[in-house]
mmCIF file of all heavy atoms in Angstrom:
data_model
loop_
_atom_site.group_PDB
_atom_site.id
_atom_site.type_symbol
_atom_site.label_atom_id
_atom_site.label_comp_id
_atom_site.label_asym_id
_atom_site.label_seq_id
_atom_site.Cartn_x
_atom_site.Cartn_y
_atom_site.Cartn_z
ATOM 1 N N PHE A 80 16.940 38.240 -2.025
ATOM 2 C CA PHE A 80 17.225 37.214 -3.054
ATOM 3 C C PHE A 80 16.381 37.487 -4.331
ATOM 4 O O PHE A 80 16.850 37.321 -5.422
ATOM 5 C CB PHE A 80 16.839 35.819 -2.455
ATOM 6 C CG PHE A 80 17.055 34.698 -3.403
ATOM 7 C CD1 PHE A 80 18.338 34.359 -3.896
ATOM 8 C CD2 PHE A 80 15.999 33.963 -3.807
ATOM 9 C CE1 PHE A 80 18.516 33.292 -4.717
ATOM 10 C CE2 PHE A 80 16.159 32.892 -4.704
ATOM 11 C CZ PHE A 80 17.387 32.551 -5.150
ATOM 12 N N GLN A 81 15.114 37.945 -4.084
ATOM 13 C CA GLN A 81 14.262 38.153 -5.249
ATOM 14 C C GLN A 81 14.283 39.662 -5.753
ATOM 15 O O GLN A 81 13.381 40.045 -6.509
ATOM 16 C CB GLN A 81 12.850 37.715 -4.905
ATOM 17 C CG GLN A 81 12.738 36.237 -4.604
ATOM 18 C CD GLN A 81 11.341 35.722 -4.506
ATOM 19 O OE1 GLN A 81 10.405 36.233 -5.193
ATOM 20 N NE2 GLN A 81 11.149 34.684 -3.748
ATOM 21 N N LYS A 82 15.271 40.362 -5.190
ATOM 22 C CA LYS A 82 15.464 41.757 -5.659
ATOM 23 C C LYS A 82 14.222 42.601 -5.524
ATOM 24 O O LYS A 82 13.777 43.339 -6.453
ATOM 25 C CB LYS A 82 16.017 41.829 -7.089
ATOM 26 C CG LYS A 82 17.322 41.033 -7.235
ATOM 27 C CD LYS A 82 18.009 41.297 -8.528
ATOM 28 C CE LYS A 82 19.430 40.739 -8.552
ATOM 29 N NZ LYS A 82 19.583 39.384 -7.992
ATOM 30 N N MET A 83 13.561 42.515 -4.348
ATOM 31 C CA MET A 83 12.329 43.242 -4.116
ATOM 32 C C MET A 83 12.596 44.492 -3.266
ATOM 33 O O MET A 83 11.647 45.150 -2.816
ATOM 34 C CB MET A 83 11.306 42.309 -3.350
ATOM 35 C CG MET A 83 10.974 41.095 -4.133
ATOM 36 S SD MET A 83 9.974 39.919 -3.165
ATOM 37 C CE MET A 83 8.353 40.576 -3.330
ATOM 38 N N GLY A 84 13.812 44.799 -2.996
ATOM 39 C CA GLY A 84 14.133 45.972 -2.147
ATOM 40 C C GLY A 84 14.230 45.535 -0.744
ATOM 41 O O GLY A 84 13.774 44.490 -0.327
ATOM 42 N N VAL A 85 14.916 46.415 0.067
ATOM 43 C CA VAL A 85 15.147 46.078 1.487
ATOM 44 C C VAL A 85 13.830 46.166 2.248
ATOM 45 O O VAL A 85 13.118 47.195 2.150
ATOM 46 C CB VAL A 85 16.183 47.040 2.087
ATOM 47 C CG1 VAL A 85 16.402 46.663 3.566
ATOM 48 C CG2 VAL A 85 17.502 47.013 1.322
ATOM 49 N N GLY A 86 13.453 45.115 2.970
ATOM 50 C CA GLY A 86 12.258 45.116 3.795
ATOM 51 C C GLY A 86 12.515 45.912 5.055
ATOM 52 O O GLY A 86 13.644 46.056 5.525
ATOM 53 N N THR A 87 11.433 46.460 5.633
ATOM 54 C CA THR A 87 11.514 47.212 6.852
ATOM 55 C C THR A 87 10.640 46.612 7.907
ATOM 56 O O THR A 87 9.485 46.283 7.641
ATOM 57 C CB THR A 87 11.063 48.677 6.606
ATOM 58 O OG1 THR A 87 11.933 49.293 5.627
ATOM 59 C CG2 THR A 87 11.048 49.495 7.914
ATOM 60 N N CYS A 88 11.173 46.416 9.086
ATOM 61 C CA CYS A 88 10.399 45.922 10.232
ATOM 62 C C CYS A 88 10.235 47.059 11.223
ATOM 63 O O CYS A 88 11.191 47.603 11.723
ATOM 64 C CB CYS A 88 11.071 44.731 10.849
ATOM 65 S SG CYS A 88 10.304 44.218 12.412
ATOM 66 N N VAL A 89 8.999 47.460 11.459
ATOM 67 C CA VAL A 89 8.745 48.484 12.511
ATOM 68 C C VAL A 89 8.389 47.694 13.730
ATOM 69 O O VAL A 89 7.578 46.756 13.729
ATOM 70 C CB VAL A 89 7.545 49.394 12.037
ATOM 71 C CG1 VAL A 89 7.213 50.405 13.108
ATOM 72 C CG2 VAL A 89 7.825 50.019 10.706
ATOM 73 N N CYS A 90 9.009 48.050 14.886
ATOM 74 C CA CYS A 90 8.721 47.262 16.107
ATOM 75 C C CYS A 90 8.816 48.105 17.362
ATOM 76 O O CYS A 90 9.309 49.282 17.306
ATOM 77 C CB CYS A 90 9.683 46.137 16.182
ATOM 78 S SG CYS A 90 11.399 46.659 16.402
ATOM 79 N N HIS A 91 8.355 47.622 18.434
ATOM 80 C CA HIS A 91 8.403 48.287 19.769
ATOM 81 C C HIS A 91 9.869 48.632 20.082
ATOM 82 O O HIS A 91 10.756 47.835 19.866
ATOM 83 C CB HIS A 91 7.864 47.300 20.790
ATOM 84 C CG HIS A 91 7.476 47.994 22.095
ATOM 85 N ND1 HIS A 91 8.416 48.617 22.901
ATOM 86 C CD2 HIS A 91 6.262 48.175 22.697
ATOM 87 C CE1 HIS A 91 7.767 49.098 23.967
ATOM 88 N NE2 HIS A 91 6.463 48.879 23.872
ATOM 89 N N GLU A 92 10.050 49.861 20.582
ATOM 90 C CA GLU A 92 11.429 50.308 20.809
ATOM 91 C C GLU A 92 12.206 49.375 21.800
ATOM 92 O O GLU A 92 13.396 49.237 21.721
ATOM 93 C CB GLU A 92 11.417 51.746 21.370
ATOM 94 C CG GLU A 92 10.626 51.908 22.661
ATOM 95 C CD GLU A 92 10.577 53.282 23.230
ATOM 96 O OE1 GLU A 92 11.384 54.130 22.762
ATOM 97 O OE2 GLU A 92 9.762 53.526 24.149
ATOM 98 N N LYS A 93 11.428 48.710 22.702
ATOM 99 C CA LYS A 93 12.121 47.910 23.699
ATOM 100 C C LYS A 93 12.707 46.623 23.075
ATOM 101 O O LYS A 93 13.492 45.940 23.753
ATOM 102 C CB LYS A 93 11.134 47.495 24.787
ATOM 103 C CG LYS A 93 10.804 48.594 25.746
ATOM 104 C CD LYS A 93 9.971 48.062 26.873
ATOM 105 C CE LYS A 93 9.601 49.203 27.850
ATOM 106 N NZ LYS A 93 8.399 48.823 28.667
#
Side-chain angles (χ1 to χ4, degrees):
F80 179 66
Q81 298 192 29
K82 303 194 169 42
M83 299 170 84
V85 180
T87 298
C88 172
V89 179
C90 65
H91 197 295
E92 57 179 349
K93 284 187 181 160

